[in-house]
Amino acid sequence: MTKINRRNFVQMTAGTVGLAALPNHVARAMASESELKFIFVQCFGGWDVTRVFANVLDNGNVATEEQGQAVELGDLVYISHPNRPAVDSFFQSWGESCLIVNGILVPSVSHDACVHLMLTGGVAESAPDWCVLLSAPVVDTMALPHLVIEGSSFAGTMSGISTRVGTSGNMDGLLTGHIIDKVDEPTSVHGPDVESVLDAYQAQRASDWTDSQTGDQAIALGEAFSTATGRAYEMKDMQDVVNWSGGQDFNDQTRLAVELLANGVSRCVTVRYSGAGWDTHQDNDDTQSNNFEGLFSALQDLLASLTNESGEAGGTLADETVVVVISEMGRTPNLNEEDGKDHWPFTSALVVGPGVDGGRTAGGFDDHFYGHLIDPETGEASEDGIDLSAGSFGATLLALAGIDYEEYLPGYQAITGLLS
């Protein structure tokens, strides 16, 4: 018997969940789907943007490093320091593809609130985050549209799009069947021939049940179950293609992320770089500097890995992948009594890859270390501009992917001047 994969499986069912179980506006977004892929790198805890992203060395109201120097690579400006050679190496290698966005407003100083705001714009408690919205158009063509290896995610009303794999190797155990070894009562695992028969039986039962229903909700549930089962079959087919093992090390996370994108399993993958911790209420300078050095060394490896993989359009995977590096808040302008910096509602982001106006630093900070208003059409600071809010930043990412952001972010405007 031919083993069922997701593509021939869905032909057996009455329909697919992509159009039936998701809101209508998701189905419309699919018509303008972009081929771009995304890796979101979360550095949550609150980074000190003056260490790399924000040139405020001449601002007497902000505590900066004595050995910090502003480096200009065309329109890209960043802060160099002798203790952070990896930052220099990264921008020298990838500066033309880099967009630094300074002064993003996240109107809170609570970690939990800022995480939610930075990922969703805060339009509603049930709002899906950027990764989920970016992945919605491929819900019917990819097994795991959005995969969270480590980090925060808010699936909201689109919970079927996002999957958390974790770093403990459970996915590998599920796909191989070895997870059964962890149960209290010993049991045996079926061989591949028996498993294929069971898969076919389950698929046929799901299809028959869906065909027999008349209510819209029951049909949608049946189709959702059928599609989820089809994804499971496709994942089984991929168990020898993707190496699901690994740990919490950031390089392990990014290795898996690159494999998933390269093999068409996911469109968007979330990873986290923790370093020594970003929430530096104490010993801010050394901790933040070390964190950025480690982060940019790892980003250098990530971009190199993307470059070494073939893309779908004949180039490399780096030509098709946008890497978004974010933290949910910044740090206060000055040090506290313990040489730390506290929470600050303005942050920065780094976006690397195709589709953005690379080789550029946009936005900025005023004398009080508040973010500048920005002209959405040019991406330049402007007294007549709008707040560079977390919602506008998210709208810009959705616009980059060809998604109608106004469906999800009413009242926010994409900064189209940041896109190429």
Side-chain angles (χ1 to χ4, degrees):
M1 179 178 292
T2 302
K3 188 168 183 178
I4 300 172
N5 60 35
R6 186 165 184 257
R7 289 176 178 81
N8 58 40
F9 169 80
V10 294
Q11 296 173 359
M12 299 170 54
T13 63
T16 60
V17 70
L19 297 178
L22 293 177
N24 289 334
H25 53 263
V26 176
R28 290 198 295 274
M30 292 174 68
S32 59
E33 175 185 348
S34 166
E35 295 300 319
L36 291 177
K37 305 167 181 64
F38 294 84
I39 296 176
F40 275 70
V41 180
Q42 299 180 356
C43 300
F44 284 161
W47 54 20
D48 185 348
V49 300
T50 70
R51 294 313 184 244
V52 174
F53 305 121
N55 179 19
V56 290
L57 296 178
D58 295 331
N59 187 339
N61 296 322
V62 181
T64 58
E65 299 167 292
E66 291 184 0
Q67 293 182 282
Q69 292 186 333
V71 175
E72 297 183 11
L73 298 176
D75 293 328
L76 180 74
V77 183
Y78 73 93
I79 302 302
S80 174
H81 192 278
N83 292 340
R84 296 189 291 272
V87 175
D88 293 305
S89 296
F90 179 84
F91 284 120
Q92 288 165 8
S93 298
W94 306 103
E96 292 184 357
S97 300
C98 291
L99 171 68
I100 294 175
V101 186
N102 284 324
I104 300 172
L105 172 62
V106 188
S108 176
V109 289
S110 162
H111 286 296
D112 290 344
C114 285
V115 168
H116 187 264
L117 286 164
M118 191 62 189
L119 291 178
T120 70
V123 292
E125 284 297 322
S126 60
D129 61 36
W130 317 135
C131 295
V132 173
L133 295 175
L134 289 167
S135 303
V138 300
V139 70
D140 195 39
T141 58
M142 291 187 175
L144 301 174
H146 172 223
L147 189 73
V148 183
I149 299 177
E150 189 170 358
S152 299
S153 179
F154 303 92
T157 56
M158 301 182 186
S159 58
I161 293 174
S162 189
T163 303
R164 183 176 293 275
V165 66
T167 56
S168 60
N170 283 342
M171 179 63 77
D172 186 59
L174 284 169
L175 295 178
T176 62
H178 292 135
I179 200 168
I180 203 73
D181 297 335
K182 298 182 180 181
V183 301
D184 294 333
E185 295 294 330
T187 187
S188 59
V189 179
H190 296 299
D193 292 339
V194 174
E195 187 174 331
S196 293
V197 173
L198 292 173
D199 286 348
Y201 174 75
Q202 182 177 359
Q204 190 61 56
R205 284 291 302 272
S207 178
D208 291 344
W209 186 88
T210 302
D211 289 343
S212 67
Q213 303 305 303
T214 56
D216 291 343
Q217 184 176 10
I219 292 173
L221 287 172
E223 291 173 349
F225 176 76
S226 295
T227 301
T229 304
R231 288 179 181 174
Y233 298 156
E234 185 172 348
M235 294 303 298
K236 290 179 183 179
D237 289 339
M238 296 291 294
Q239 64 184 353
D240 296 324
V241 177
V242 175
N243 178 10
W244 292 95
S245 62
Q248 296 181 357
D249 181 81
F250 185 72
N251 288 330
D252 288 334
Q253 296 180 47
T254 55
R255 174 201 53 77
L256 177 55
V258 170
E259 285 194 52
L260 293 169
L261 299 187
N263 286 284
V265 179
S266 302
R267 184 187 195 186
C268 184
V269 181
T270 293
V271 296
R272 172 177 284 181
Y273 184 87
S274 298
W278 295 95
D279 195 17
T280 50
H281 294 280
Q282 301 172 332
D283 191 25
N284 178 83
D285 291 1
D286 288 344
T287 304
Q288 290 279 338
S289 186
N290 291 336
N291 282 349
F292 276 116
E293 173 67 8
L295 170 65
F296 276 87
S297 177
L299 291 176
Q300 181 85 295
D301 292 341
L302 170 58
L303 268 294
S305 295
L306 290 170
T307 303
N308 290 332
E309 289 285 347
S310 298
E312 292 183 89
T316 71
L317 192 57
D319 297 326
E320 303 172 2
T321 303
V322 180
V323 179
V324 183
V325 191
I326 54 176
S327 185
E328 85 276 23
M329 63 173 69
R331 314 301 305 179
T332 49
N334 289 299
L335 297 168
N336 59 29
E337 294 179 353
E338 299 183 73
D339 291 326
K341 288 188 175 183
D342 301 316
H343 299 174
W344 191 248
F346 292 94
T347 186
S348 299
L350 172 66
V351 186
V352 188
V356 299
D357 189 14
R360 177 185 181 188
T361 295
F365 297 88
D366 64 16
D367 291 343
H368 302 288
F369 204 49
Y370 296 161
H372 285 309
L373 299 179
I374 195 166
D375 183 332
E377 294 185 0
T378 66
E380 299 290 341
S382 171
E383 293 182 358
D384 298 323
I386 64 173
D387 283 326
L388 180 51
S389 64
S392 291
F393 178 70
T396 306
L397 295 177
L398 297 184
L400 171 63
I403 295 174
D404 184 2
Y405 65 87
E406 292 179 343
E407 293 278 357
Y408 310 100
L409 297 168
Y412 287 111
Q413 189 170 354
I415 314 300
T416 54
L418 301 181
L419 305 179
S420 60

